[in-house]
Amino acid sequence: MSGKSKISNPYAKSAPKSNASKNPTVTTKSRIQESRSKSKRDMSTSVSGNVDANVSFSQAFESMEQSQHFRTTMSEVREQSAREAAAKQATMTSEELMSAYPHVLLVSTKQRGNGILRYVRNVPIQYVQIVPDYLCGPNRCALFLSFKYHNLHPQYIYRRIKELKSDYDLRLLLCLVDVEDNESILSVLNKTCCVNNMTLILAWSEEEAARYLETFKAFEGKDASSIQKKKEVTFPEQVADVLGCIRSVNKTDAATLTNQFKNVRSVMNASVDDIRQCPGIGEKKARRLYDAFNKPFSGVMAKKRKEERELSAVSNDKEGILPKNEDVEDKQLEQSEEG
């Protein structure tokens, strides 16, 4: 044959193709990396004005934080958040506020700059929009008033009390006595508190006023049993409580008398000499015990009768009349009781 044509071998291996044509995923990843690096270069260019391909993301973000646009935007966001929080607090009731801030003394935003807040250290405080000045519990509130401010604005406190309405069970009027001539102010405020069902509390310093607020907040969930007298249960404790009311008689003396006379009735009927036989009880203490159970309760009437007899004795001496035997006997009886 004159012209030989080259016949290709179908079983021969073809030339290897590039990795990009074999694996399209590699191409996609490379494109993504290029776009990211380009965005970083664009960010650095927009912030600093200089194109730097080697700048990191943290460095670019730090430069953006220092820009005026970023600061303006963040301040607007904070102000908007504060306005939304204030609007939400304004619609919340006292119970909802106390559930949101259970262990916090809630302070009205009107009280910002009050000097007593510097001395509130034992409880945290939170500024909220509330009607009273301070909220110590779901049904406990307080209004603050300075006597100096009351002299300048006498109608202020009446407007604030009117705003409270009847939403709180315990309503405090915490007054700072910072003027010397305060008798007339106290008289007016005392009457005002009685009429409006409020409790008047006086403080002569800002530290004292702060302690009152802390105490009311600390005892918010406690009942009156913590400040009440402990009730005696056993018989020796009850005897000691009764006999301890007599001057200079202590628990040891009460136990001694109980062991000596076996019961309280025998102690009440005992004479001065019998009481003196108990160890640790002298003559004065025995006399006081005896008088407590045998002397009349009405010392005022006894004093009045004594003065009447003295006046009648003086008049009788002037007229030359001898006193009656009954008067002499009563006088001797009084002298014996006093002795």
Side-chain angles (χ1 to χ4, degrees), residues 207-267:
E207 295 89 341
E208 184 181 0
R211 294 292 87 76
Y212 280 123
L213 291 176
E214 290 179 347
T215 303
F216 275 104
K217 181 59 183 177
F219 287 88
E220 172 190 357
K222 298 182 180 179
D223 54 4
S225 60
S226 59
I227 60 176
Q228 288 178 346
K229 185 179 179 181
K230 184 181 177 181
K231 188 176 180 181
E232 309 297 346
V233 179
T234 62
F235 178 73
E237 291 178 347
Q238 293 176 350
V239 173
D241 186 43
V242 172
L243 298 180
C245 298
I246 303 172
R247 183 180 175 185
S248 70
V249 177
N250 51 36
K251 293 183 179 181
T252 305
D253 298 332
T256 302
L257 291 169
T258 305
N259 295 332
Q260 182 73 18
F261 296 99
K262 304 304 180 185
N263 53 53
V264 181
R265 182 184 294 273
S266 300
V267 177

Side-chain angles (χ1 to χ4, degrees), residues 82-94 96-97 100-101 106-107 109 126-130:
R83 286 194 295 267
E84 292 177 357
K88 184 179 179 180
Q89 291 174 358
T91 59
M92 296 174 67
T93 62
S94 300
E96 293 173 347
L97 284 171
Y101 307 98
L106 300 182
V107 183
T109 53
Q126 175 69 32
Y127 291 101
V128 292
Q129 289 187 351
I130 52 178

